[in-house]
Amino acid sequence: MADADVSEKEKEAAREEEKDKDTAEAAEPRQSDSARSQGSVDRGPAKGKKKGSVFGKKGKKDEKKSETPIPIVEEKKEDVLLEGCFPLFMTSKTQEIFHCVCDQDVTEENPFKIITKQEIVDDMRNRAAVCDFHPFKQQITDYAFDEILVVYDYEFKWGQNFYICLNEDSKELILNPPQEGTEGEGSGAEEEEVVYKYIPPEPKEWVSQGSEKEITEENVVATRGRVKVSVKRLRKYFGAPVSFGDRNSSDGKQGFIECVSYEDKNFDLKKLELTTATQAVPDVKDIGTQTDWKYPRNANTQYYPREFTARELEEIENSEKLANFMKTVEPRFELALQQNAIMDVFYDDWVNLGDADSTFGSKADNHLKEYQSFTDLQFSKDKTITCIQWHPTIKGVVAVSIAERLSFDERIDQAARVIMTPSLILIWSFTDPIHPQLILEAPEDILSFAFCPTDHNVIAGGCYNGQIILWDISTHVDRLKQPRGGNRNKRSNVLPGFEDPNALKTPIVRYCAVSSIEHGHRAPITDIQWMPDHMVISRMGVPMENKNLQCCQLMTCATDNCVLFWDSRPPKGVQQKDDDKGPKNPMGIPNTFRHLDLQWKPMLKMHLSKSEPGGDHAPIKFSMQERQGDRSALTRGSDTNVAKDDTATMGGGFTAGVTKPGSGRERTLQTVPTYLYIGTEDGEVVYAPKPAYYHPLHDGPVIALQRSPFLKEVVLSIGGWTWALWKEGVSSGPILTSASASVRLSSGYWSPTRPSVFYISKDDGSVDVWDLLDKTHEPSLTQSVSPAPITNIFPYQVTQKQQLLAVGDNSGTLHILEIPWSLRQATPGEFNAFTNYIEREVKRRAFVVQRWNFREQEKQEMASEAKRKAGIAPNVTLTDEEIEYKMKLEYKAFLDEQHNFLREMGIVKEEEEALPEV
């Protein structure tokens, strides 16, 4: 009977085991998810049972049934976010603001961060839609508590790097989860124990990886013989009584021996390799005294202050010596009190050196600050700023050109007023924000101008009528360098105590040379640049070495379809005297460029014609690869002996010829690239002089064409409502193009200190800051600067701790903005990251071109296959009438086949058989 009961129990246990096995196989995917979220499952045997047995007795029978048993785990429901919790994506900037940087402030082990509600509300008020908490603005506003929990999602389990908790019960549950074993007393009885079978590991052959050599090298091995020491004592002293007594240590040599340290040269060894370890320990403080403690001695000292008696104090106070002393030190004491009231004399400048950054904005600032603004009610009111240039050497001096806000038709209608209105360039200084320091006079409105890189007193400008103008401000440099009010009392005939009334008047500087209007541009000059000082362009269009290292040539462009090259040096046979720079006429005009006035003609002309019929290119902006200060071209190339007639022409007036060395002529720079990027009025970006390619990309005139100051092969073009990045050498198109903006773009410029940052202004008076390493689909920062449309921007690095942005608008006001620390300080490795980003975009562009070619070939193959099926030769092209007739025949054949099918099915009767006419 007992055997029968055991047999029934075994059968029932076997059925339960098969049922559990099917359940475990069905729940295996969920089990893996649960194991991944909860960690590894215990692999040991179940308590109270033998290893490898389900029943505890029939272990051998179970091993035969299943060699690898599957653990029995309850099916767990899929995890979901708690009530009031929402996924949240926080950018690196937002993490820095709230001090929750990933893997630094918050980690996988400690993912919780408590942020006050007021901090989030302030951030949403400051950054508006840019704030990452803006999607939950209403929930945060309605949240009744002051502290909000943000949890770091290390594994992106909910799709974002963080999730926010806006429910107090859920917040308490996340911070204080329930402990195991507290769910209920009956839960432990319902859990089924998991039993695993132990499979002993199979031994494998040992393969040496070289670790035994390292262990052998780390062993300490005795390399010297051991020293043997023998200590002896006389036998008569064995067991002898010992008596102790006091004795002075200096009485005998055997009682006191001083072991003075000395330098043993035997142990002066040089270590070839040293393995050290470092461990962080708490701060340890060593405290000592200056007492020379020869030997221990018991001593004590007791003291008390010695005070004067009342009589002695009265005698000292009434003494003449004390009165004389007080009179002597009184002035110095009073001066010290005054200085202490003015400034803290005990202020440690070295300790507080790092706090100097707060003068120009702290690291937490992330917006542009208004630093200063310049406007003149007489000259710049109701006018537009066409160009901005910072002085190359004098800090705090900026020049702007102003022009009338008139179209071409309005200029013709108001020609009389425009001629009588002066055309000026205003030079402002931070020392006087009300009055300009200098006023440069011009015959027409100036659209672009530039300081000479080698002689900063020379300024070249392009006029609306196509002429080029040169100014020389060398006689007024002292006025720009002097602080506010320093230009007063300069005349010796002014009496002391009186100011010169003419000293405060802004001097007007007249131009010293103007080009010939017959040989210049036929349209307004939109861009002007000085040629770098290490090269000049010959009359044959060959880049030559400039031995004088002085900028003497100019490049200009206008919408008359050409780019002109100008040379400011005197023509051959005309020698300029040393005293030509001084003023020698009643109007005080310098004679620096007297040989060019009204006679200046371009030395070279480059016409931009399209490769196909339909007109020419009308340039507005251009950019050359060679830049001022980069003289590597002087050492890269070398001349070869070729004849003058063997020069290879590159097109458009540029040639790549070379000259014979030692011929007395200037050396040809073979490695200087002679191609330019040119932006046109039709929104095209042309690679000239001989248009190798051009792309009509922009939906408006190209108003900015800037090369990166860090990678000169990368060019930024801005036009219409879009901007694009170009890589010199990639002819298939831009490597990056932006989406169309909601407002028309007006200007742009690269950051001088951060490789991946550039600024773009818009017609609504705002400035966008783009960081390509942060975002490429939208600007990182958008800030409104002026109520009027912005026409030009120009950033300038004042010092290492200050960077300014000059913004000119359509109302004649020049705004100076201070760039925050985060936009002027490059991150570690930013240049390498930006270089790698450009290389990836170039590879992506190459892949796109490859797919274009593949699709084009696939399209041709499909057309050839269609012709082959239609019975047409691949090289035969059908006309539109023949294609239409063939399609009608195919449609008629389809109708016939359809009618026969319907008749066979019995749907169409015989009397209804009538084909429609085609």
Side-chain angles (χ1 to χ4, degrees), residues 115-122 140-148:
I115 304 175
T116 61
K117 178 180 177 181
Q118 186 63 32
E119 292 179 352
I120 300 178
V121 172
D122 294 342
I140 294 174
T141 306
D142 299 337
Y143 190 63
F145 298 89
D146 295 333
E147 294 182 347
I148 298 176

Side-chain angles (χ1 to χ4, degrees), residues 178-221:
Q179 301 295 330
E180 297 181 2
T182 60
E183 298 176 358
E185 297 179 357
S187 59
E190 297 177 0
E191 294 181 357
E192 297 186 36
E193 297 178 348
V194 181
V195 181
Y196 290 91
K197 177 184 176 183
Y198 173 75
I199 301 177
E202 298 180 0
K204 298 182 181 180
E205 184 181 0
W206 181 78
V207 179
S208 175
Q209 301 294 337
S211 59
E212 70 279 0
K213 297 181 181 180
E214 297 179 1
I215 296 173
T216 305
E217 293 175 357
E218 294 291 333
N219 291 338
V220 179
V221 181

Side-chain angles (χ1 to χ4, degrees), residues 888-906:
K888 287 182 178 180
L889 293 179
E890 293 177 355
Y891 182 64
K892 184 177 181 181
F894 167 74
L895 293 178
D896 292 341
E897 185 177 357
Q898 181 183 15
H899 180 74
N900 294 333
F901 176 76
L902 295 177
R903 186 178 60 183
E904 291 177 358
M905 297 294 294

Side-chain angles (χ1 to χ4, degrees), residues 610-627:
K610 289 187 176 180
S611 56
E612 69 274 357
D616 299 330
H617 297 292
I620 294 181
K621 297 290 182 180
F622 64 87
S623 176
M624 62 184 304
Q625 185 172 345
E626 288 295 310
R627 63 182 65 178

Side-chain angles (χ1 to χ4, degrees), residues 534-535 542-546 633-634 639 667-672:
H534 63 272
M535 61 174 290
V542 180
M544 309 292 293
E545 178 187 4
N546 186 9
L634 299 177
D639 294 332
R667 183 165 59 95
T668 303
L669 302 179
Q670 299 182 15
T671 58
V672 172

Side-chain angles (χ1 to χ4, degrees), residues 539-559:
R539 294 187 177 273
M540 300 300 296
V542 180
M544 309 292 293
E545 178 187 4
N546 186 9
K547 296 182 179 180
N548 296 329
L549 296 179
Q550 295 292 328
C551 295
C552 56
Q553 290 187 349
L554 287 161
M555 294 176 61
T556 59
C557 72
T559 54

Side-chain angles (χ1 to χ4, degrees), residues 736-809:
L736 183 63
T737 307
S738 70
S740 297
S742 59
V743 184
R744 189 183 183 93
L745 310 181
S746 60
S747 182
Y749 216 97
W750 287 93
S751 172
T753 54
R754 292 197 56 185
S756 61
V757 175
F758 56 87
Y759 307 93
I760 293 181
S761 60
K762 297 185 293 187
D763 282 350
D764 62 349
S766 62
V767 175
D768 289 343
V769 182
W770 289 80
D771 189 351
L772 298 181
L773 296 182
D774 184 21
K775 301 177 183 178
T776 56
H777 64 286
E778 63 179 1
S780 300
L781 173 65
T782 300
Q783 183 170 337
S784 179
V785 177
S786 172
I790 297 176
T791 58
N792 212 297
I793 61 175
F794 198 130
Y796 179 66
Q797 181 76 11
V798 182
T799 60
Q800 192 175 5
K801 297 182 180 180
Q802 187 180 30
Q803 189 177 129
L804 302 178
L805 178 66
V807 179
D809 58 16

Side-chain angles (χ1 to χ4, degrees), residues 35 104 201 311 573 581 692 698 792 820 896:
Q104 293 183 9
R311 182 177 180 181
K581 292 188 177 181
H698 296 284
N792 212 297
D896 292 341

